[in-house]
Amino acid sequence: MAATDEMISASIRTFCETLHAHYVRLPMQDGSEPMQTMRPQRYIFPTSTLATGVWLPGDDVHLVCITEDRKQIFWSIVAETLGLEGQETKEFSPGVMKLAWSALGVEKAPRNSAVYLHYALLPPDLAINDFARKDAVPNLLEIIRYPTSDRKTPYMRKHIELARRAVHITSTTQPKGSQFQTAYHQLHTWARSTGLLSQALELLNGDTLLELLFRTCEPCMAVENPRFLQTFFRDASTYLEAAGVRPHSISAFLQVLGHCDRIIVRHGGYESEGGVAALDLEHITIARGLDLFLDSYEDFLVLDLETWAKNPQDRMHFQSEGFLEVIKRLCTGAFSEIENGCGASTIPYRAWPYLVGEEGSKLCILGVCDGRSLTTDEVDAVQTWLASCCEDKEGRIDAKSITKERARALFAAGLERNDSPTAPIRSAQESASSSYLRPFSQIQSRLRWDPAHMSTPYEVGYEDRFDKSNLIWRNLEQWAKATEDEDFVPESRVRTVRRVEDKHVVWDREKRVDRTAGV
């Protein structure tokens, strides 16, 4: 059963009881049952999407604990409560610990979601009974201050601000809670389907989308019938930086927003009921989002990952975390810090956050922004950098420039599947092993670099240019890849690959045979 915000909240409340901490329910209601005096005082606040009741799998959970305990003592109590005594329990960042879902009693961890516990010290003169009043919490948090000259406490002020922001958002949206939640879920589907939502690539996530919607619509909360979606699509561009949207995500967001604006205007504008309705947010799909992505660029760079790691954990780490880190660095400009003077430092990319491929082989498509077209030197510069990223790794990442038509053919099939961004999505071709065949370029790379194959001689059979019924055989080690080589043979003429020793065929295009994983 998929985790829901109610299930997550119930697990956290149980954790709080075990920790002897008060779970502060937001928004505070009139007549809330007063909290019992407890020593030491510990108050745990839910924040962001969990506090607002719009949490979805894929969102991280951030809990803020304001406590009388000193930090070292508090973390030891948390470790004891979770049964982590004797284990290494380092802080994820100053004042923050990453908790295991299983430790909170959640049997099936939400995919691509993590839970973090933030620590902040409680002032000694705080009145506990203030928590029993609905209007007291904002004032309560407002008086929690730390000396600005103390270099050890900046993270505490940041954590208090997380709790304060959660109180403000929940109390402000409470009168229009169901309408606000419905608008958020529609926008979440829209952002996800258009490739704007990916925490791993530092695009939008649940927290930033919620903050953006709230900042955009806060002025109209007092209106009797607020039009949250119309307000969002009209004014969201004004609040992107304030909501914490990262620079490389802003350009992608504005591009998609511009497309939506043209549809809305064409169907009557923002004051018309048919304007936003024309976006059909309830039925937008990833396939439609991909079409919009591909139509937004003229040139594309495809990253082709292959790993031959035998350890499943190493293989999974390289094709998920390692690959995504490389993609993120290209899109955020970190690549230019390494390859200065290569001609690629000014190239802006936008990644489509859905990967396609099979086990051990993944593809990612990047659009080249600003109407740019990549030169051969620029692609070579990216390839050189990718090779440096893969040093000492059991795998490699290749880069090549491809046309829009080729990109559509690679990525369009099968994206109707409802999956999460940056998760491997199998195309319709790949769903049936009998119909999908890895191209020769991937086979060549695997046989050359996979330790399981490096010591085995292979030969390639390709069509004679003048007699297609005749196969010419050439040793794989002598196979030329560069088009300027005299003995270059186009990949379209390659028919089969076999072991030299016993003529065992490991790959055959016509018979659609691929045995490289098992030999």
Side-chain angles (χ1 to χ4, degrees), residues 48 165 169 180 184 187 190-191 196 204-219 228 231-233 235-245 249-250 253 257:
S48 195
R165 192 63 180 166
I169 292 177
F180 185 81
Y184 172 85
L187 289 172
W190 166 78
L196 295 176
L204 290 180
N205 56 37
D207 294 345
T208 52
L209 182 61
L210 173 65
E211 185 68 27
L212 183 59
L213 174 62
F214 177 74
R215 285 180 179 269
T216 305
C217 296
E218 186 176 10
F228 290 136
T231 303
F232 178 87
F233 283 105
D235 301 336
S237 59
T238 308
Y239 299 92
L240 292 172
E241 291 187 15
V245 181
S249 184
I250 288 179
F253 186 91
L257 201 64

Side-chain angles (χ1 to χ4, degrees), residues 94-143:
V96 181
M97 182 177 287
K98 186 176 182 179
L99 306 179
W101 284 106
S102 58
L104 298 180
V106 179
E107 296 182 1
K108 187 175 182 180
R111 190 175 184 179
N112 297 328
S113 297
V115 57
Y116 300 92
L117 183 60
H118 301 250
Y119 165 85
L121 184 63
L122 185 72
D125 56 349
L126 187 64
I128 187 171
N129 290 333
D130 286 343
F131 270 96
R133 301 203 321 271
K134 175 184 175 182
D135 61 347
V137 177
N139 298 328
L140 183 68
L141 295 177
E142 191 64 34
I143 68 172

